[in-house]
Amino acid sequence: MTKWLERKEKIYFHERYIAWRLVGEPGPTDTSAQKPDFIHRPHLQMTRHPTMRGVPLTTILTQYKATFFVSAFSRYVAFKNDPSLATVAQLERRAADISLPFNTLSVFHNIKFWNADAHGREEISDLLDAVHIKPKRTDHRGRSVPPRFDTVIVNEDGNGQHSGVFGYRVAQVFLVFTLPNNVIASLFTGAFQPPKHLAYVEWFTPFKNAPEPHHKIVHLFPQWGRAVPREWTSASVLEDLH
Protein backbone atom coordinates (compact mmCIF):
# COMPACT_ATOMS: atom_id res chain seq x y z
CA MET A 1 0.00 0.00 0.00
CA THR A 2 2.83 2.42 0.83
CA LYS A 3 4.50 1.87 -2.55
CA TRP A 4 1.14 2.37 -4.30
CA LEU A 5 0.57 5.68 -2.50
CA GLU A 6 4.09 6.85 -3.36
CA ARG A 7 3.47 6.11 -7.04
CA LYS A 8 0.10 7.89 -7.01
CA GLU A 9 1.70 10.92 -5.39
CA LYS A 10 4.50 11.03 -7.98
CA ILE A 11 1.98 10.73 -10.83
CA TYR A 12 -0.10 13.55 -9.31
CA PHE A 13 2.86 15.93 -9.03
CA HIS A 14 4.07 15.02 -12.52
CA GLU A 15 0.62 15.81 -13.94
CA ARG A 16 0.63 19.14 -12.09
CA TYR A 17 4.03 19.96 -13.54
CA ILE A 18 2.96 19.12 -17.11
CA ALA A 19 -0.17 21.25 -16.70
CA TRP A 20 1.96 24.15 -15.42
CA ARG A 21 4.22 23.91 -18.48
CA LEU A 22 1.27 23.75 -20.88
CA VAL A 23 -0.25 26.99 -19.56
CA GLY A 24 2.99 28.88 -20.05
CA GLU A 25 4.80 28.42 -16.74
CA PRO A 26 2.99 31.10 -14.72
CA GLY A 27 4.88 32.57 -11.79
CA PRO A 28 3.95 31.98 -8.16
CA THR A 29 0.90 33.67 -6.74
CA ASP A 30 1.35 36.58 -4.36
CA THR A 31 1.51 35.23 -0.80
CA SER A 32 2.60 38.44 0.90
CA ALA A 33 -0.86 39.03 2.37
CA GLN A 34 -0.83 35.66 4.12
CA LYS A 35 2.29 36.55 6.19
CA PRO A 36 3.31 32.92 6.82
CA ASP A 37 5.95 31.86 9.30
CA PHE A 38 9.13 30.96 7.45
CA ILE A 39 12.58 29.78 8.40
CA HIS A 40 15.82 30.01 6.42
CA ARG A 41 18.69 27.74 7.43
CA PRO A 42 22.27 27.05 6.35
CA HIS A 43 22.07 25.15 3.08
CA LEU A 44 24.50 22.45 4.22
CA GLN A 45 24.41 20.81 7.61
CA MET A 46 26.88 18.11 8.67
CA THR A 47 27.08 16.32 11.99
CA ARG A 48 29.76 17.61 14.34
CA HIS A 49 31.44 14.21 14.49
CA PRO A 50 32.00 11.58 11.76
CA THR A 51 29.71 8.56 11.61
CA MET A 52 32.71 6.21 11.50
CA ARG A 53 36.33 6.81 12.45
CA GLY A 54 39.35 4.86 11.33
CA VAL A 55 37.74 3.21 8.29
CA PRO A 56 40.52 1.32 6.43
CA LEU A 57 41.21 2.23 2.82
CA THR A 58 40.54 -1.38 1.83
CA THR A 59 37.00 -1.01 3.22
CA ILE A 60 36.54 2.30 1.40
CA LEU A 61 37.59 0.74 -1.91
CA THR A 62 35.30 -2.28 -1.54
CA GLN A 63 32.35 -1.74 0.80
CA TYR A 64 31.99 1.97 -0.03
CA LYS A 65 32.60 1.16 -3.71
CA ALA A 66 35.05 4.05 -4.04
CA THR A 67 37.09 1.91 -6.43
CA PHE A 68 39.30 4.67 -7.83
CA PHE A 69 39.61 6.72 -4.65
CA VAL A 70 43.42 6.62 -4.37
CA SER A 71 44.07 7.75 -7.95
CA ALA A 72 41.24 10.32 -7.92
CA PHE A 73 42.36 11.86 -4.63
CA SER A 74 45.99 11.93 -5.77
CA ARG A 75 44.95 13.86 -8.88
CA TYR A 76 42.97 16.27 -6.70
CA VAL A 77 46.00 16.93 -4.49
CA ALA A 78 48.31 17.33 -7.48
CA PHE A 79 46.06 19.85 -9.22
CA LYS A 80 45.37 21.90 -6.09
CA ASN A 81 49.09 22.12 -5.38
CA ASP A 82 49.84 23.15 -8.98
CA PRO A 83 46.85 24.50 -10.96
CA SER A 84 49.20 25.26 -13.87
CA LEU A 85 49.24 21.58 -14.89
CA ALA A 86 47.81 21.96 -18.38
CA THR A 87 47.36 18.43 -19.68
CA VAL A 88 46.00 15.15 -18.40
CA ALA A 89 49.41 13.55 -18.90
CA GLN A 90 51.09 16.18 -16.72
CA LEU A 91 48.49 15.73 -14.02
CA GLU A 92 48.81 11.95 -14.08
CA ARG A 93 52.61 12.10 -13.78
CA ARG A 94 52.43 14.47 -10.82
CA ALA A 95 49.73 12.40 -9.13
CA ALA A 96 51.81 9.23 -9.51
CA ASP A 97 54.49 10.80 -7.30
CA ILE A 98 52.08 11.42 -4.42
CA SER A 99 52.12 8.99 -1.51
CA LEU A 100 49.05 9.21 0.73
CA PRO A 101 50.11 9.57 4.38
CA PHE A 102 47.10 7.69 5.79
CA ASN A 103 45.59 4.21 5.80
CA THR A 104 42.25 5.09 7.37
CA LEU A 105 39.67 7.87 7.07
CA SER A 106 36.84 9.32 9.12
CA VAL A 107 33.61 9.17 7.10
CA PHE A 108 30.08 10.57 7.22
CA HIS A 109 26.97 8.59 6.29
CA ASN A 110 24.57 11.52 5.90
CA ILE A 111 24.46 14.99 4.43
CA LYS A 112 21.59 17.27 5.40
CA PHE A 113 20.81 20.30 3.30
CA TRP A 114 18.08 22.88 2.95
CA ASN A 115 16.59 23.79 -0.43
CA ALA A 116 15.53 27.36 -0.99
CA ASP A 117 12.24 27.99 -2.78
CA ALA A 118 12.59 27.25 -6.51
CA HIS A 119 11.08 30.65 -7.40
CA GLY A 120 13.33 32.56 -5.02
CA ARG A 121 10.49 33.60 -2.72
CA GLU A 122 11.88 34.80 0.60
CA GLU A 123 8.55 34.24 2.39
CA ILE A 124 8.68 30.45 1.81
CA SER A 125 10.53 28.27 4.32
CA ASP A 126 13.45 26.17 3.12
CA LEU A 127 12.84 22.44 2.65
CA LEU A 128 14.97 19.83 4.39
CA ASP A 129 16.47 16.97 2.38
CA ALA A 130 19.25 14.45 2.96
CA VAL A 131 21.83 12.39 1.10
CA HIS A 132 22.57 8.88 2.41
CA ILE A 133 25.97 7.24 1.95
CA LYS A 134 25.80 3.86 3.66
CA PRO A 135 27.63 0.60 2.85
CA LYS A 136 26.05 -2.81 3.26
CA ARG A 137 25.42 -3.62 6.93
CA THR A 138 23.53 -5.88 9.33
CA ASP A 139 20.65 -4.52 11.42
CA HIS A 140 19.93 -5.29 15.08
CA ARG A 141 18.00 -8.42 14.08
CA GLY A 142 20.89 -9.81 12.09
CA ARG A 143 19.29 -9.07 8.72
CA SER A 144 21.38 -7.85 5.81
CA VAL A 145 20.65 -4.25 4.80
CA PRO A 146 21.71 -3.38 1.24
CA PRO A 147 24.01 -0.42 0.61
CA ARG A 148 22.62 2.99 -0.20
CA PHE A 149 24.57 5.56 -2.18
CA ASP A 150 22.25 8.38 -3.19
CA THR A 151 22.39 10.42 -6.36
CA VAL A 152 22.51 14.21 -6.24
CA ILE A 153 22.22 17.12 -8.66
CA VAL A 154 25.37 19.22 -8.37
CA ASN A 155 25.69 22.89 -9.27
CA GLU A 156 28.96 21.98 -10.97
CA ASP A 157 30.26 25.37 -12.10
CA GLY A 158 28.28 27.57 -9.72
CA ASN A 159 26.14 29.02 -12.52
CA GLY A 160 23.04 26.88 -11.97
CA GLN A 161 19.79 28.78 -11.52
CA HIS A 162 16.60 28.11 -9.53
CA SER A 163 15.10 26.27 -12.51
CA GLY A 164 16.50 24.42 -15.49
CA VAL A 165 19.49 22.08 -15.72
CA PHE A 166 22.09 24.49 -17.12
CA GLY A 167 25.18 24.30 -14.92
CA TYR A 168 24.00 21.15 -13.15
CA ARG A 169 25.15 17.54 -13.37
CA VAL A 170 24.02 14.31 -11.72
CA ALA A 171 26.47 12.38 -9.53
CA GLN A 172 26.30 9.35 -7.26
CA VAL A 173 27.93 9.88 -3.85
CA PHE A 174 30.02 6.98 -2.54
CA LEU A 175 32.09 8.62 0.18
CA VAL A 176 32.12 11.75 2.33
CA PHE A 177 35.19 12.15 4.49
CA THR A 178 37.37 14.58 6.40
CA LEU A 179 41.13 14.90 6.74
CA PRO A 180 43.07 15.50 9.99
CA ASN A 181 45.21 18.63 10.17
CA ASN A 182 48.51 16.75 10.03
CA VAL A 183 47.49 15.06 6.78
CA ILE A 184 46.44 18.40 5.27
CA ALA A 185 49.80 19.93 6.22
CA SER A 186 51.63 16.99 4.68
CA LEU A 187 49.73 16.88 1.37
CA PHE A 188 48.94 20.50 0.49
CA THR A 189 52.14 22.47 0.15
CA GLY A 190 50.81 25.81 -1.10
CA ALA A 191 48.28 28.35 0.10
CA PHE A 192 45.30 26.16 -0.80
CA GLN A 193 43.44 24.59 2.09
CA PRO A 194 40.83 21.92 1.31
CA PRO A 195 37.29 22.20 2.70
CA LYS A 196 36.49 20.36 5.90
CA HIS A 197 34.33 17.82 4.08
CA LEU A 198 35.33 16.14 0.84
CA ALA A 199 33.35 13.71 -1.33
CA TYR A 200 34.13 10.94 -3.79
CA VAL A 201 31.47 10.80 -6.51
CA GLU A 202 30.93 9.22 -9.91
CA TRP A 203 29.57 11.57 -12.55
CA PHE A 204 26.70 10.77 -14.86
CA THR A 205 26.65 11.83 -18.51
CA PRO A 206 25.93 15.59 -18.73
CA PHE A 207 22.39 16.73 -19.47
CA LYS A 208 21.40 17.35 -23.06
CA ASN A 209 21.33 20.96 -24.20
CA ALA A 210 17.63 20.71 -25.07
CA PRO A 211 14.73 19.03 -23.20
CA GLU A 212 12.67 16.18 -24.60
CA PRO A 213 10.52 17.66 -27.42
CA HIS A 214 7.22 16.11 -26.32
CA HIS A 215 7.39 16.70 -22.56
CA LYS A 216 9.64 19.77 -22.36
CA ILE A 217 11.53 18.16 -19.48
CA VAL A 218 14.79 16.23 -19.16
CA HIS A 219 14.59 12.50 -18.42
CA LEU A 220 17.19 10.08 -17.09
CA PHE A 221 16.43 6.81 -18.89
CA PRO A 222 18.54 3.66 -18.57
CA GLN A 223 19.43 1.98 -21.83
CA TRP A 224 18.64 -1.73 -21.59
CA GLY A 225 17.73 -4.37 -24.15
CA ARG A 226 14.30 -5.75 -24.89
CA ALA A 227 13.50 -6.49 -21.24
CA VAL A 228 14.48 -5.19 -17.82
CA PRO A 229 16.75 -7.73 -16.06
CA ARG A 230 14.85 -9.34 -13.20
CA GLU A 231 17.90 -9.38 -10.93
CA TRP A 232 17.99 -5.59 -10.75
CA THR A 233 16.94 -4.05 -7.44
CA SER A 234 16.61 -0.46 -6.26
CA ALA A 235 19.78 -0.95 -4.19
CA SER A 236 21.95 -2.20 -7.04
CA VAL A 237 20.50 -0.92 -10.31
CA LEU A 238 22.96 1.98 -10.76
CA GLU A 239 25.93 -0.34 -10.30
CA ASP A 240 24.33 -3.01 -12.52
CA LEU A 241 24.03 -0.45 -15.32
CA HIS A 242 27.80 0.12 -15.40
Side-chain angles (χ1 to χ4, degrees), residues 19-236:
W20 174 71
R21 294 298 300 263
L22 291 175
V23 297
E25 304 178 21
T29 57
D30 184 13
T31 58
S32 57
Q34 300 176 15
K35 299 185 182 301
D37 294 329
F38 57 91
I39 301 175
H40 296 288
R41 302 176 183 272
H43 281 199
L44 182 65
Q45 182 177 336
M46 301 294 296
T47 57
R48 180 174 298 180
H49 302 291
T51 308
M52 302 284 292
R53 297 181 183 273
V55 179
L57 282 181
T58 53
T59 300
I60 287 171
L61 299 180
T62 55
Q63 295 186 27
Y64 285 83
K65 303 184 180 182
T67 309
F68 304 105
F69 171 80
V70 173
S71 57
F73 184 67
S74 297
R75 288 193 296 269
Y76 173 78
V77 174
F79 182 75
K80 292 302 182 182
N81 283 336
D82 187 1
S84 67
L85 296 172
T87 67
V88 174
Q90 291 175 343
L91 181 61
E92 292 290 350
R93 285 195 296 269
R94 188 69 59 83
D97 294 333
I98 294 175
S99 178
L100 300 185
F102 56 84
N103 294 313
T104 63
L105 284 173
S106 296
V107 304
F108 297 81
H109 285 180
N110 292 280
I111 303 172
K112 288 185 178 181
F113 60 96
W114 300 85
N115 288 312
D117 178 68
H119 294 285
R121 293 173 293 183
E122 292 293 332
E123 70 274 11
I124 302 298
S125 296
D126 295 343
L127 298 176
L128 176 64
D129 206 339
V131 180
H132 301 272
I133 316 104
K134 298 178 180 179
K136 183 179 179 180
R137 62 195 188 280
T138 303
D139 65 14
H140 66 282
R141 295 184 179 180
R143 297 174 299 188
S144 178
V145 180
R148 178 174 176 179
F149 300 105
D150 285 353
T151 53
V152 295
I153 298 179
V154 181
N155 191 352
E156 187 178 14
D157 56 10
N159 294 322
Q161 303 298 314
H162 283 297
S163 61
V165 297
F166 175 79
Y168 291 94
R169 192 170 178 183
V170 178
Q172 187 174 12
V173 186
F174 288 96
L175 183 71
V176 176
F177 62 99
T178 189
L179 298 172
N181 291 333
N182 63 315
V183 169
I184 293 175
S186 174
L187 286 175
F188 298 94
T189 57
F192 172 79
Q193 292 292 296
K196 182 176 180 180
H197 304 99
L198 295 164
Y200 173 92
V201 306
E202 290 190 4
W203 294 107
F204 282 54
T205 303
F207 288 113
K208 296 180 179 179
N209 293 328
E212 296 294 332
H214 300 296
H215 302 288
K216 302 302 181 183
I217 58 177
V218 177
H219 293 286
L220 294 176
F221 282 133
Q223 294 183 354
W224 49 61
R226 294 188 176 185
V228 180
R230 293 182 179 274
E231 63 272 17
W232 285 4
T233 67
S234 59
S236 65

